[in-house]
Amino acid sequence: LKDIRGDPHIKSFNWAHEDLAEYQPYRVPRAAANAQTSGGRSGSGGDVEQAVGLGAHGGDMIGIAELFKPPQPLAPLFDAVGAPAPPTGYYTRQQARSVLEDYITGRGLIDPKRPREVRIDHVLCDGLLTKGEYAKMTTFPRDKLHGRLQEKMTLYTQLSIPGKAPSVRLGPAPAIDILCERRMGNKVVTRAIGLETYGIDPANVAKELRTMCASSTAVDPVPGKKGVHAALVQGHHVVAFTKLLAGHGLPAELLRVTDRSGKTPKKQQQTQQAQA
C-alpha cells in the first residue's frame, strides 16, 4: 500500500499468498453466452456480470403470489354460489373471478340484448356498487364488474423464499427501496433498504458490492425502523445493485428505484454524447 494525500492505494499484490491462491471467483452460468453476445468486449458492465453470484438463495427466485379474501359485504355472493373456500382460506385472482362468473351465469343476469352488460340484483348491488350507484344502475359492464370485485377483495401476498416455509402477509409485497442520493457535498451514495424482509443479509450484499463496484461500502441502521439496515455503496451504482439483487432471487418488480443524485451514470453519458 502507498498513502497518497491521505488515501491508501494498492500498488502491488503478493500473488503467492494463500488467501489469493485459495480464492474462488463467482461463476454465472450465462457468463459465457454474455461474452459471445458482447463480441469479447470488456467494460464496467461485463465486470458487474462476472461479479454477480448466485446469492443467498442459490439462484432460486423468490416467489410472489397475490391472494384475496372476500370482505363481509361480499360473503352473500360467495355463499350463493356455494363456492367452498380454498384449503388455505385465500382465493387467487382467477378463483375469485370464477365465483363471480358462476353467479352471473347461474342467475341468468347477462343482458340478452347486450351480452357485455350484467343486470344488477340485490347481491351484486350490496357487494360491488357504491352508495351513489344504488338507485342509478340497473346494468353494469361485465368487465368493470370483475374489476370492481378485485378492488373490493382484501389483498394478501404470499412470499415463497427458498429454504423457508411460504408466508402470507396483508397487503402488497413490500418493495426494496434503492435510493441514489448526494451526501456530504458532492459525494454520491447508493443504498438499498428492506433486504431483511426477503431473507437477504445486508452485510453480505455490502461485501459483494465492494468487490463488484471497487468502492467502499457500509451497513447502516435505518432511523425509525427497528432491526432494518441499509446496504450502502459509494457512487452511482443502481445498475450494479439491481443485477446483484436479481442474483439473490428478487424479481425486478420488487425493486423501487429513486435517483436524487442529479448525476448521470458514465455509460448513459456516453450514449447521450454519441446520439448528439
Side-chain angles (χ1 to χ4, degrees), residues 28-97:
V28 181
R30 61 179 181 273
N34 288 341
Q36 293 175 0
T37 303
S38 62
R41 292 173 297 177
S42 61
S44 60
D47 295 338
V48 170
E49 289 287 349
Q50 290 291 339
V52 174
L54 295 180
H57 308 308
D60 294 333
M61 294 300 292
I62 295 171
I64 301 172
E66 288 185 335
L67 302 175
F68 301 89
K69 272 190 175 182
Q72 188 58 37
L74 286 175
L77 170 63
F78 283 75
D79 293 341
V81 176
T88 60
Y90 303 95
Y91 292 84
T92 64
R93 188 182 297 273
Q94 185 58 42
Q95 287 172 335
R97 183 183 180 89

Side-chain angles (χ1 to χ4, degrees), residues 63-163:
I64 301 172
E66 288 185 335
L67 302 175
F68 301 89
K69 272 190 175 182
Q72 188 58 37
L74 286 175
L77 170 63
F78 283 75
D79 293 341
V81 176
T88 60
Y90 303 95
Y91 292 84
T92 64
R93 188 182 297 273
Q94 185 58 42
Q95 287 172 335
R97 183 183 180 89
S98 296
V99 169
L100 180 57
E101 277 296 317
D102 290 346
Y103 182 85
I104 292 172
T105 56
R107 298 298 188 279
L109 298 178
I110 300 175
D111 192 319
K113 296 182 179 180
R114 297 178 298 169
R116 295 184 178 181
E117 295 287 320
V118 176
R119 294 197 297 265
I120 299 298
D121 65 0
H122 70 282
V123 173
L124 296 179
C125 179
D126 293 342
L128 299 177
L129 298 190
T130 63
K131 292 183 178 180
E133 296 170 334
Y134 283 177
K136 299 178 181 178
M137 310 292 292
T138 57
T139 63
F140 206 83
R142 195 171 181 174
D143 57 341
K144 291 185 178 180
L145 205 60
H146 281 289
R148 187 67 63 86
L149 176 66
Q150 297 299 328
E151 293 174 4
K152 297 287 186 178
M153 297 277 282
T154 304
L155 172 64
Y156 292 80
T157 300
Q158 177 178 279
L159 299 180
S160 299
I161 300 175

